Amino acid sequence: MLQRVFKERSQRKACDSFILFDSSILAEELIQNADDAQATEVVFIHDDRSYGTDSLWTQELGQYQGPALYVYNDASFTEEDWEGIQLAGRSFKRNDPNKVGRVSEISDNLYNSGKVADLFESFITDAELSLLFLKNVVSVSLKHVTADGKVSTRLQVTSSALKEEIRESGNEFQASTRSKVITQISDDQKETTWLLTTCIMKKGSAENLDSLAEKLSFSPRVDLAFPFDEEKGSGQGRVCCFLPLPDNESNKTGLPVHVNACFGLTDNRRQIKWPESDQKHDEHALWNELLVKQVLPQTYLFLIKDAVKLAQECVLPSSRVYQLWPDISKMEHKDKWHAVALDMLQHLFRENMAVLSLAKDETKFIPPSEALLPCNGPTSSDILAALKRTLVSRGENLVTLPPSISRAIAEAHPHPHTLKHVTPAFMRGFLRGTDMQSLSEDDKFCLLEYVLSDKKYKDLQDLQLLPLSDGSFRAFTQRKIDTALIDSSDFPR
């Protein structure tokens, strides 16, 4: 299927009734159409050549012989496509929830060379995201033909999906997970592996969502994508409606994952609708709100479970599992997405999922109820290391927690007071029943400094941490016979 999208010299004006799309939207529309046609390849060709006019059928065709943007895909044109292409500005796929471009309304605006250059640049910026959530298209290329016929490839982006695992989750949801490799080839080659999790709410699980799904011909499905690559920054998640929405503040969620769904979009298709004061009764806005409240948190839980499983299999670094958690302290200005993150974390803790990585073996995960949480105070690295060695060597379920995870537990756990934390008081009680002989001198000094940090000196009774001048340690007691003298500047040793 080949489309000639614009001509350089045209006097025809776009009809006012059509929505004016920018160049990036045009590329998305054409890729969506190709995906719906079950194409696997899309090629954009910016052709700067001009052709002769001597042998044209009519002189009027002369204005169409200048530079143009050609868009090719490898699908065959159907009778339905012939009908739909005549409906510019009206989507004939509107009632098909399985179509990616069902909300597509390509305007009949004309594009010049400058706009095509913008189109290429805008696509290159988001190229990596463009194939993440498509069903069929696995290759998009941008090519340029100069006026003298030289052909170059600006960019080729391809995707390859690995084996998909589908599982049921109770009576409400069906979830699936897969990995997808996105490769970009331009001046150099870049490859990124993504973890994709999909969750679909089954019909009959939520009456309000079912009703809107049928009325709007939408699907109650959410996809989340998270990169394996540790160099990818957290909190840079974007909203996608099969293809990424424009990279502006309203489409940045603050989450470390990209969110994809069949969202109801504003008229210019640049952002999703929310039930604000002027859209309280807008069904598309209500659909979006229900989707992110009822389906997205569950999808996030499935994604974390998938990541934990991959970490246990040593496919994904354990540290990446924690980077998958939303940092709610950095999302307070994102009201709606902050609420989604908080809701997801509350679900996670209520289910007591095994999501905390053991310090002894980071490929093993345990639920918060079984974990010993590390101290979060301003403690030196030497003391932290001594605490870890002491607790791990004696079989305690000490877990590793970045500060953001500690904050999430403190804010979202329904019963934080029931969790076990490393504190000076805990360590004093723990060390009383511990054989201290195997501890190094340095570790004993670090432990002594830590148990003294809360200034509960009376609670030092029976701790074998009192250092003597001969290099040995003995217990703190109140017996006169055990009196120990401590040197000072006034009374040096």
Side-chain angles (χ1 to χ4, degrees):
M1 185 188 299
L2 181 66
Q3 294 172 268
R4 197 172 196 269
V5 178
F6 86 91
K7 55 186 176 58
E8 182 73 43
R9 298 178 294 275
S10 173
Q11 304 300 318
R12 187 164 60 90
K13 295 182 179 179
C15 297
D16 292 337
S17 60
F18 292 118
I19 299 169
L20 300 178
F21 294 107
D22 62 23
S23 299
S24 62
I25 298 295
L26 171 68
E28 293 180 2
E29 299 287 333
L30 294 168
I31 294 172
Q32 286 178 344
N33 288 344
D35 198 68
D36 287 338
Q38 299 185 2
T40 60
E41 180 185 16
V42 179
V43 181
F44 291 84
I45 305 173
H46 182 193
D47 189 348
D48 274 331
R49 292 174 295 184
S50 294
Y51 298 89
T53 59
D54 294 340
S55 59
L56 297 178
W57 183 261
T58 65
Q59 290 185 349
E60 286 77 9
L61 293 176
Q63 61 181 326
Y64 297 100
Q65 304 307 302
L69 171 67
Y70 295 92
V71 183
Y72 160 84
N73 69 65
D74 59 358
S76 299
F77 226 62
T78 66
E79 290 296 328
E80 187 181 44
D81 293 324
W82 282 115
E83 180 181 346
I85 201 172
Q86 301 173 62
L87 303 175
R90 290 171 289 166
S91 175
F92 73 100
K93 298 177 283 188
R94 183 177 298 278
N95 296 321
D96 188 347
N98 295 314
K99 296 293 188 182
V100 170
R102 58 181 304 284
V103 292
S104 168
E105 294 182 356
I106 291 184
S107 72
D108 66 349
N109 293 317
L110 304 176
Y111 289 79
N112 56 36
S113 291
K115 289 184 178 180
V116 173
D118 289 342
L119 180 152
F120 274 28
E121 292 303 323
S122 63
F123 180 82
I124 290 171
T125 300
D126 282 337
E128 187 174 33
L129 305 185
S130 297
L131 299 185
L132 265 181
F133 302 112
L134 294 179
K135 298 177 181 179
N136 300 298
V137 173
V138 295
S139 175
V140 176
S141 300
L142 307 181
K143 296 180 180 291
H144 180 232
V145 183
T146 62
D148 58 359
K150 293 181 180 179
V151 181
S152 63
T153 300
R154 289 283 310 278
L155 173 73
Q156 181 181 21
V157 56
T158 62
S159 71
S160 58
L162 305 181
K163 182 179 179 181
E164 183 174 22
E165 178 183 334
I166 300 176
R167 61 181 180 277
E168 301 288 327
S169 179
N171 298 320
E172 295 185 344
F173 298 97
Q174 177 178 299
S176 63
T177 182
R178 63 197 180 281
S179 297
K180 183 175 275 193
V181 179
I182 305 293
T183 304
Q184 297 181 76
I185 303 174
S186 53
D187 294 334
D188 53 9
Q189 180 170 322
K190 183 175 73 170
E191 185 175 282
T192 305
T193 302
W194 295 80
L195 174 62
L196 272 73
T197 295
T198 298
C199 184
I200 302 174
M201 178 172 276
K202 298 178 182 178
K203 191 172 183 179
S205 301
E207 184 178 349
N208 51 2
L209 206 58
D210 285 345
S211 175
L212 282 174
E214 184 173 354
K215 189 171 185 178
L216 301 175
S217 296
F218 282 1
S219 174
R221 162 181 172 158
V222 172
D223 307 281
L224 297 178
F226 180 69
F228 279 47
D229 189 352
E230 291 195 61
E231 295 181 0
K232 299 288 181 181
S234 61
Q236 303 299 315
R238 296 260 299 278
V239 178
C240 301
C241 189
F242 303 103
L243 286 163
L245 296 182
D247 188 9
N248 55 44
E249 192 60 30
S250 64
N251 295 323
K252 296 176 181 178
T253 64
L255 298 169
V257 298
H258 298 303
V259 180
N260 176 67
C262 186
F263 288 116
L265 303 179
T266 54
D267 288 342
N268 62 6
R269 300 203 59 225
R270 297 189 65 83
Q271 61 191 57
I272 65 177
K273 291 183 176 181
W274 296 109
E276 308 290 356
S277 57
D278 59 337
Q279 297 182 144
K280 286 184 178 179
H281 305 293
D282 188 296
E283 291 177 331
H284 291 82
L286 179 58
W287 165 266
N288 294 338
E289 185 171 67
L290 292 174
L291 202 62
V292 299
K293 284 185 176 181
Q294 298 184 22
V295 185
L296 197 156
Q298 289 295 328
T299 312
Y300 216 134
L301 291 184
F302 286 124
L303 179 61
I304 291 178
K305 290 179 181 178
D306 294 336
V308 167
K309 182 179 178 181
L310 291 174
Q312 291 170 334
E313 297 170 352
C314 299
V315 175
L316 185 72
S318 298
S319 59
R320 289 298 281 161
V321 177
Y322 284 148
Q323 291 168 358
L324 181 54
W325 291 42
D327 189 345
I328 52 180
S329 67
K330 297 180 179 179
M331 296 180 62
E332 294 178 352
H333 64 295
K334 299 278 187 181
D335 293 342
K336 292 180 175 61
W337 299 109
H338 179 270
V340 169
L342 200 58
D343 187 37
M344 183 280 296
L345 290 170
Q346 289 169 347
H347 273 80
L348 182 150
F349 294 134
R350 281 197 297 270
E351 292 187 19
N352 201 31
M353 290 170 51
V355 292
L356 302 184
S357 175
L358 282 175
K360 183 178 182 179
D361 182 354
E362 292 189 347
T363 65
K364 297 187 183 301
F365 291 78
I366 60 174
S369 62
E370 299 176 12
L372 175 60
L373 308 182
C375 60
N376 297 316
T379 308
S380 72
S381 58
D382 288 341
I383 292 178
L384 290 175
L387 290 169
K388 178 180 177 180
R389 282 191 293 268
T390 303
L391 293 166
V392 168
S393 65
R394 284 153 178 78
E396 285 291 320
N397 282 340
L398 181 69
V399 295
T400 56
L401 289 186
S404 61
I405 306 300
S406 297
R407 289 192 296 268
I409 293 174
E411 186 167 342
H413 197 283
H415 307 292
H417 61 280
T418 64
L419 302 178
K420 190 163 61 171
H421 294 262
V422 175
T423 64
F426 171 84
M427 287 305 299
R428 288 192 292 266
F430 174 79
L431 291 172
R432 284 193 184 94
T434 299
D435 178 15
M436 308 286 282
Q437 298 301 317
S438 60
L439 295 177
S440 69
E441 180 179 300
D442 288 342
D443 280 358
K444 287 180 180 179
F445 276 113
C446 286
L447 293 172
L448 176 60
E449 183 177 345
Y450 183 69
V451 298
L452 289 171
S453 62
D454 64 352
K455 300 181 180 180
K456 304 291 185 181
Y457 304 126
K458 292 183 178 180
D459 200 25
L460 296 175
Q461 182 75 18
D462 298 329
L463 281 180
Q464 295 277 342
L465 286 177
L466 179 61
L468 301 180
S469 59
D470 62 0
S472 64
F473 290 77
R474 78 177 191 196
F476 287 89
T477 73
Q478 295 183 357
R479 298 185 305 172
K480 287 186 177 181
I481 193 174
D482 293 330
T483 298
L485 302 178
I486 302 175
D487 61 346
S488 66
S489 57
D490 294 331
F491 299 96
R493 184 176 303 176

